[in-house]
Amino acid sequence: APGWLAAVSLAAGLAAGFGYAPREAVQGNVQRIMYLHVPSVLTAYLAFGLVLLGSIGYLATRRRGWDLLAGAAGEIGVLFTGLTIVSGSIWGRPTWGTWWTWDARLTSTAVLFLVYAGYLLLRSVIDDPDARGRYAAVVGILGAVNIPIVHFSVKWWRALHQPSTILGPGPAPIDPAIE
């Protein structure tokens, strides 16, 4: 039942984002991809935050449930980080004229993706559950250091990528008509 509920919710969200939301004055219809791109990165942040929580919990208690939480969250995080990179590239091509640029935000996001893809690979090659949990927890904790680097990279370095609209300093600069 939860799978059907998720599918219906996704369809409703896409219909609202692509059908209901007004066309953006400068970027036109390509801006609509942000209705997928931004929630994807926020979901990835949340998932990697759960990897961090589960990893700390596992190292502190050695309870398998914490390790299972971290592993499941890692899979979701990698999926949504990949979706973030793909949707950003689709937006970047008509907007910037290129699918990819070695911008600070894009590069740090690619590093985040690779770290947690490696985390999942590590989990898959270690048979002993305790060793897998310990080693993966260390990678999961160290990998979380990159989350604020990704998020604040546009503030810390000169970047082509626009500053954070959500979870940035101050109120979100969004027109009330589309909030």
Side-chain angles (χ1 to χ4, degrees):
W4 286 104
L5 181 59
V8 168
S9 298
L10 179 62
L14 289 173
F18 289 99
Y20 172 74
R23 186 174 186 272
E24 206 273 332
V26 176
Q27 295 180 29
N29 285 325
V30 74
Q31 182 275 337
R32 294 177 193 263
I33 199 137
M34 291 301 129
Y35 299 123
L36 176 67
H37 180 72
V38 174
S40 294
V41 74
L42 295 176
T43 302
Y45 286 169
L46 175 62
F48 294 140
L50 290 173
V51 172
L52 175 63
L53 177 69
S55 296
I56 291 169
Y58 183 76
L59 290 178
T61 66
R62 294 293 197 264
R63 290 190 177 162
R64 188 162 187 258
W66 286 114
D67 182 49
L68 293 174
L69 169 68
E75 292 174 3
I76 293 167
V78 168
L79 172 70
F80 279 94
T81 303
L83 188 56
T84 298
I85 291 170
V86 169
S87 62
S89 292
I90 292 169
W91 176 85
R93 178 68 172 127
T95 306
W96 293 337
T98 185
W99 294 99
W100 182 265
T101 181
W102 291 102
D103 172 84
R105 170 72 60 88
L106 278 66
T107 304
S108 58
T109 302
V111 169
L112 183 72
F113 179 81
L114 292 173
V115 165
Y116 282 101
Y119 168 86
L120 295 178
L121 180 63
L122 175 69
R123 292 186 66 81
S124 72
V125 298
I126 301 175
D127 291 328
D128 177 46
D130 184 56
R132 176 178 54 239
R134 284 183 289 121
Y135 297 151
V138 171
V139 173
I141 292 167
L142 293 175
V145 170
N146 198 25
I147 296 168
I149 294 171
V150 170
H151 190 74
F152 294 110
S153 61
V154 293
K155 295 280 184 199
W156 296 341
W157 297 290
R158 184 177 170 154
L160 182 59
H161 196 282
Q162 72 181 44
S164 299
T165 304
I166 298 175
L167 298 178
I174 299 174
D175 187 315
I178 61 171
E179 275 187 325

